[in-house]
Amino acid sequence: MNINQISFRVRYGETDQMGVVYHGNYAQYLEMGRVEWLRSLGFSYKKMEEDGVMLPVISLQLNFKKSAVYDDLITVVTILKKRPSVKIEFDYKIYNEADEILVEAHTVLAFINKVTKRPMKCPEAILEKIKI
């Protein structure tokens, strides 16, 4: 599965005094998308870390198109860009209920050995589930 989507409502604490989502919260929304993408393959970040694999973000790009506001139902679409190696890349689109694009984003994460702190290849079990 190379695409996954999740939907949730913007909480009050994620907004500024104007009711607009604070820009820093979008990184968390992308993380939520990645976590659920991985879970849809039958894996979890927690289990990966227990198995000695860390997955830090090494690059993050956000292009804001329109503001999300308090109580909006937003949908984060997470798309695996290409087959991972020592890095894994995702594209994202965040939509509101009117199906308007709020944000387009891109992240790059690196597979890191928890003990050595060195880059490593994507776990084979994940590669077997990916259809790229």
Side-chain angles (χ1 to χ4, degrees):
M1 182 184 290
N2 301 328
I3 254 181
N4 192 54
Q5 71 179 41
I6 60 167
S7 297
F8 53 91
R9 290 214 177 264
V10 172
R11 296 170 295 201
Y12 184 78
E14 297 167 343
T15 64
D16 60 21
Q17 286 184 328
M18 296 183 298
V20 173
V21 171
Y22 172 68
H23 71 276
N25 286 317
Y26 288 97
Q28 291 180 9
Y29 297 164
L30 302 181
E31 179 183 12
M32 291 166 62
R34 286 192 305 277
V35 166
E36 294 307 318
W37 175 87
L38 194 60
R39 193 179 313 279
S40 74
L41 293 178
F43 299 95
S44 75
Y45 266 55
K46 182 178 179 180
K47 178 75 167 104
M48 281 179 49
E49 287 184 354
E50 289 170 355
D51 292 342
V53 180
M54 296 187 305
L55 201 54
V57 173
I58 60 173
S59 176
L60 168 66
Q61 294 177 315
L62 291 161
N63 293 312
F64 299 100
K65 306 295 185 185
K66 188 172 181 172
S67 297
V69 297
Y70 171 62
D71 206 40
D72 270 357
L73 179 64
I74 61 174
T75 300
V76 178
V77 178
T78 305
I79 306 150
L80 180 66
K81 189 164 174 74
K82 61 185 179 183
R83 188 170 176 85
S85 57
V86 295
K87 294 188 262 186
I88 187 166
E89 296 185 43
F90 294 99
D91 285 333
Y92 309 83
K93 291 188 192 268
I94 300 178
Y95 297 90
N96 62 15
E97 285 179 273
D99 209 29
E100 299 169 311
I101 294 178
L102 305 177
V103 174
E104 293 179 324
H106 179 79
T107 59
V108 180
L109 297 89
F111 291 96
I112 302 292
N113 181 296
K114 190 174 182 178
V115 174
T116 66
K117 309 289 192 261
R118 305 284 304 155
M120 60 182 286
K121 289 185 179 179
C122 176
E124 196 61 40
I126 292 175
L127 291 174
E128 289 173 4
K129 299 268 185 169
I130 295 172
K131 306 282 194 272
I132 290 182

